[in-house]
Amino acid sequence: MSAREAIDTVQTTPHDQVRPALRVERLDVEFDVDGGKLRAVSDVSLEVAENETLGIVGESGCGKSTLARAILQAPPPTAGSVWFDDQDLTTLKGEDLRQVRPRLQLLLQDPTSSLNPRQTVWHSVAAPLRVWKRGTRAEQDARVAEVLKQVGIDPERAKHSRPAEYSGGQCQRICLARALALRPDVLVCDEVVSALDVLIQAQILNLLEDIRDLYGLTMVFIGHDLAVVRRVSDRVAIMYLGRLCEIGPTQMVFDHPAHPYTRRLLDSIPLVESATETRTSAAPTGEPPSPLNPPSGCRFRTLCPKARDHCAVETPELRQTGDGQWVACHYPNVPVTAARP
Amino acid sequence: MTAQVKRAEGGPVLEVADLSVAVRTIDGELPIVTGVSFRVEAGQMLAIVGESGCGKSVLTRAIVGLLPREQWIVRGSARLDGVELVGQGPRAMRRVWGRDIGVVFQDSLTALNPVRTIGAQLTESIRRFREVNRATATEIARGALSSVGITDPAARLRAYPHQMSGGMRQRVCIAIALLGEPSLLIADEPTTGLDVTVQEQILDLLAARCQDENMASILVTHDLAVAATRADEVVVLYAGEVVESVASESLMSARMPYSRSLLAALPRLDDAIHSRLAAVPGQAPLPAEVGPGCRFVQRCPIRVDDCATHHPSFHADDGAGHGVRCWRTAEAATTAVQEQP
């Protein structure tokens, strides 16, 4: 069996959740850059079940945001498919694609630049309802007021206030209200709390959980802060230089990280409660390789403490190490329970 | 008078006493930082922690003399090795910068000149301090890059800032800050925006160099965990004033309700997934909104009526140098921060 056939049979959802809301298959995203092609996302397959939050963690340049945008077809991937509601989004064009878009919404890191500074907050939140002509004017206004209340923004004030009159945390609430206005099925959050202070971050994370329960949302939560992503995610995917390293149930991945890169990420997190411990091991040195010229074989091998000659030759495929936990490593920290089917 | 600094034996390297900073506005003076006092000894790292807008960067810029006098008013005292820095003009401070105080800023891309090579920028600084010829300066520059863990320094000297990664650029900034062998290093959010594994490397590097040179250092950060794991002493700033000062190993037993809220709002690796964080409502008051009482009063879970009208003084009475600004520290120590609706 070839590697290509093998990966098609890999199931990266937990068995008890039957219907995936989103299924990403063998996704590639390439960009033209000076001196060749940058493959930002390479051969990524994953599924997100209904009402599930999938966290995607990785460092800058690992392709996590590119992957999220490719799922939303903004821009579409170079290769691969994205299945949503029995349709492959990558095959949809024009009006067909437009009709799907309201059901998939995106929330970004910088809320102030996501809002039109010259329009009232009310106007911005109402815009999706107006564009899609959902209900009468009165129904639209009622919906705007409702959704603003749900995110903790005073609707009366929103009628005559512009984004500059709100703080960063409040602007993120407003962006969330706008994303929810059309009652989407899927919400993709890209580093939505990264620019916020810790107390505001806690408020927004709690709000996202409440909103997820209220709307029964399927979420993709992208972040670089492992403790934050862990908190909100049912499953997590770890990315490195455009590839999936590891994917599995959150608790399992954090308790028994199978990939050396996941281990490395976990070891790098500073923890308040460990302030009294003397730091024993210094961080491994070495610069991360450029995504323009990724290492052959396993992309993490240049910084991997476990790397052997074989890692430079063969790219590791995802293999199962636990119930629903998959790792792309030749020498994982957790024994492989099942090879590829 | 010039700021000729000579190390006084035994005393603190930096002693800040009752330092206040105000900005001139059309409505008069607006206080940004009020009555800050602390001291840093040789070989000690002090962390100044606070959220955005708390005045932590203004405070350090006031100490270093980087606030333009036309706009800013600095009162109080900041003595470096016994020599007063407050009130020194730019000409006198020019002798202090680089030689007595090294500064590393958050944004390494703007800290470095984009159109000059790393080598040119290093040798310029070297020749400011030492009368050496170009070849010797290049030799020193190469050594400086090696000392901050940059491999192949000869090649890096010919590179421009944009050709390096953020982590590598921050190493260069640290190398430049250390060229004059300062007695005090101020690092203002040196790892914000860097990946967690790179952050670990940079913080390791800072700690190692400060230890090697027995340097005093100030780490300005919004990240409580970074402060707790790296500094000896943590000073918590809220709305422009010090609310708590505590040895980092005692941070977990902080007593000021604000510090306790910060600790409670941090997502931890042992929380239940999807559980809600203890988030205090609201946001810090703007400098113009500061009332007569405690500045945290509107958000405080254990406030009493008097807190809004009487400003608590900063008191350290436990004998271990643990200082708190709160009327209700006895209650604070026993009350858990509750989640607010």
Side-chain angles (χ1 to χ4, degrees):
Chain A
M1 179 160 63
S2 77
R4 260 202 114 72
E5 285 161 352
I7 201 152
D8 284 338
T9 58
V10 167
Q11 299 295 310
T12 46
T13 23
H15 53 80
D16 55 333
Q17 274 154 329
V18 259
R19 203 178 113 79
L22 268 177
R23 195 166 83 240
V24 172
E25 280 174 2
R26 314 192 57 86
L27 207 71
D28 284 343
V29 183
E30 284 180 354
F31 296 115
D32 289 323
V33 290
D34 276 355
K37 288 213 183 289
L38 169 65
R39 202 174 227 210
V41 174
S42 187
D43 202 16
V44 169
S45 301
L46 50 84
E47 294 181 350
V48 195
E50 252 176 45
N51 300 336
E52 185 191 43
T53 301
L54 174 74
I56 303 181
V57 188
E59 298 182 282
S60 36
C62 76
K64 56 191 189 297
S65 295
T66 308
L67 170 63
R69 281 170 181 68
I71 292 173
L72 300 172
Q73 310 300 305
T78 315
S81 24
V82 177
W83 290 91
F84 171 70
D85 200 20
D86 299 326
Q87 301 178 88
D88 180 359
L89 300 184
T90 59
T91 61
L92 299 182
K93 296 267 179 303
E95 186 56 27
D96 291 338
L97 183 57
R98 203 182 85 91
Q99 289 298 331
V100 183
R101 286 205 188 278
R103 302 178 57 192
L104 304 142
Q105 290 289 324
L106 176 65
L107 203 57
L108 295 168
Q109 174 174 352
D110 184 0
T112 39
S113 68
S114 310
L115 293 167
N116 187 335
R118 306 190 57 179
Q119 283 175 346
T120 62
V121 160
W122 181 277
H123 185 105
S124 287
V125 176
L129 295 160
R130 310 266 196 254
V131 167
W132 286 92
K133 302 186 174 63
R134 293 285 167 86
T136 63
R137 186 83 181 190
E139 284 163 354
Q140 290 175 358
D141 286 346
R143 174 68 186 145
V144 175
E146 177 188 44
V147 77
L148 279 171
K149 271 192 214 123
Q150 285 167 352
V151 300
I153 295 289
D154 174 21
E156 283 312 307
R157 187 182 160 203
K159 281 180 182 162
H160 50 82
S161 301
R162 290 179 170 71
E165 295 165 58
Y166 291 91
S167 68
Q170 288 172 320
C171 284
Q172 195 57 284
R173 290 173 187 267
I174 294 161
C175 288
L176 177 60
R178 181 176 57 183
L180 293 173
L182 295 171
R183 301 180 190 277
D185 300 304
V186 177
L187 181 66
V188 177
C189 299
D190 190 359
E191 299 275 13
V192 289
V193 294
S194 307
L196 304 175
D197 285 319
V198 58
L199 293 183
I200 309 297
Q201 166 178 287
Q203 292 172 7
I204 298 292
L205 288 176
N206 287 349
L207 174 65
L208 280 171
E209 293 283 41
D210 293 343
I211 290 294
R212 186 185 88 106
D213 293 347
L214 186 64
Y215 283 80
L217 287 171
T218 300
M219 281 178 41
V220 178
F221 190 94
I222 296 161
H224 68 279
D225 185 327
L226 277 90
V228 166
V229 175
R230 178 190 164 282
R231 182 120 196 165
V232 298
S233 305
D234 301 294
R235 288 187 308 130
V236 283
I238 315 285
M239 285 184 78
Y240 184 78
L241 279 184
R243 280 184 170 273
L244 274 189
C245 294
E246 180 163 2
I247 183 167
T250 305
Q251 202 62 55
M252 211 182 270
V253 171
F254 275 76
D255 288 349
H256 307 286
H259 200 285
Y261 177 62
T262 314
R263 179 81 264 165
R264 164 94 188 270
L265 278 179
L266 285 169
D267 288 344
S268 316
I269 313 179
L271 296 170
V272 174
E273 52 270 34
S274 63
T276 43
E277 291 162 25
T278 7
R279 298 179 51 77
T280 43
S281 64
T285 47
E287 278 287 296
S290 157
L292 268 178
N293 185 21
S296 64
C298 173
R299 294 185 172 189
F300 186 58
R301 69 178 166 83
T302 54
L303 296 174
C304 182
K306 297 182 120 185
R308 298 183 216 169
D309 293 347
H310 179 56
C311 299
V313 184
E314 196 192 334
T315 305
E317 300 288 351
L318 283 171
R319 293 184 297 166
Q320 193 161 20
T321 53
D323 197 1
Q325 185 181 14
W326 296 80
V327 63
C329 176
H330 295 304
Y331 307 103
N333 295 327
V334 176
V336 171
T337 53
R340 301 186 294 262
Chain B
M1 179 187 151
T2 58
Q4 279 290 9
V5 174
K6 265 266 177 300
R7 169 69 55 83
E9 283 304 315
V13 175
L14 180 74
E15 181 154 31
V16 174
D18 203 20
L19 193 78
S20 295
V21 189
V23 64
R24 292 181 217 272
T25 71
I26 43 170
D27 300 322
E29 277 184 32
L30 188 60
I32 305 295
V33 171
T34 11
V36 170
S37 304
F38 60 80
R39 54 202 290 175
V40 199
E41 320 268 344
Q44 194 195 23
M45 182 181 272
L46 177 93
I48 298 178
V49 181
E51 298 179 282
S52 31
C54 74
K56 54 191 190 297
S57 291
V58 167
L59 171 64
T60 47
R61 277 172 171 74
I63 294 168
V64 188
L66 284 175
L67 299 176
R69 291 166 142 195
E70 303 76 46
Q71 208 188 342
W72 296 86
I73 304 148
V74 181
R75 295 192 183 90
S77 161
R79 288 171 167 271
L80 182 69
D81 287 322
V83 175
E84 185 57 63
L85 298 177
V86 173
Q88 297 285 350
R91 190 183 292 269
M93 285 310 288
R94 202 172 281 277
R95 303 175 62 89
V96 174
W97 293 333
R99 190 170 290 142
D100 300 311
I101 306 181
V103 187
V104 178
F105 293 105
Q106 175 181 344
D107 186 354
S108 58
L109 196 59
T110 53
L112 295 169
N113 185 333
V115 297
R116 301 187 66 208
T117 62
I118 298 300
Q121 298 183 54
L122 274 161
T123 49
E124 179 195 13
S125 298
I126 291 163
R127 295 178 81 183
R128 252 190 71 207
F129 302 124
R130 298 185 221 179
E131 304 236 340
V132 291
N133 63 27
R134 199 169 289 275
T136 317
T138 306
E139 198 51 48
I140 297 170
R142 202 175 297 157
L145 288 187
S146 306
S147 73
V148 292
I150 290 181
T151 49
D152 198 5
R156 292 297 177 178
L157 286 176
R158 291 190 297 274
Y160 288 90
H162 75 270
Q163 294 171 317
M164 302 178 132
S165 68
M168 184 87 83
R169 274 200 304 270
Q170 199 56 290
R171 286 173 190 272
V172 172
C173 291
I174 293 169
I176 291 176
L178 297 177
L179 278 176
E181 297 171 357
S183 48
L184 174 70
L185 181 75
I186 296 181
D188 188 353
E189 300 272 11
T191 57
T192 306
L194 297 180
D195 286 323
V196 60
T197 56
V198 181
Q199 162 170 290
E200 193 189 20
Q201 292 174 359
I202 297 290
L203 292 172
D204 278 351
L205 169 67
L206 278 173
R209 291 306 308 269
C210 290
Q211 206 164 13
D212 293 349
E213 318 278 338
N214 197 31
M215 219 176 340
S217 53
I218 297 177
L219 177 69
V220 180
T221 177
H222 69 282
D223 190 329
L224 216 56
V226 165
T229 49
R230 300 297 177 156
D232 302 297
E233 183 90 19
V234 177
V235 166
V236 182
L237 218 58
Y238 185 75
E241 62 182 12
V242 176
V243 293
E244 186 143 19
S245 169
V246 57
S248 57
E249 62 265 23
S250 306
L251 189 63
M252 288 303 283
S253 50
R255 286 186 285 162
M256 165 73 192
Y258 171 64
S259 319
R260 294 174 64 84
S261 325
L262 283 179
L263 288 167
L266 278 179
R268 297 155 67 123
L269 291 178
D270 51 4
D271 298 328
I273 290 164
H274 294 311
S275 60
R276 304 302 194 258
L277 286 154
V280 298
Q283 48 210 336
L286 296 172
E289 300 167 354
V290 167
C294 171
R295 296 182 177 180
F296 188 59
V297 64
Q298 295 96 337
R299 311 171 78 185
C300 183
I302 57 163
R303 63 173 174 255
V304 291
D305 291 350
D306 277 357
C307 296
T309 47
H310 294 73
H311 190 237
S313 59
F314 188 80
H315 51 93
D317 50 10
D318 71 339
H322 184 167
V324 187
R325 187 188 294 279
C326 178
W327 291 118
R328 295 174 54 78
T329 43
E331 292 84 351
T334 52
T335 317
V337 176
Q338 294 297 320
E339 189 196 330
Q340 308 270 330

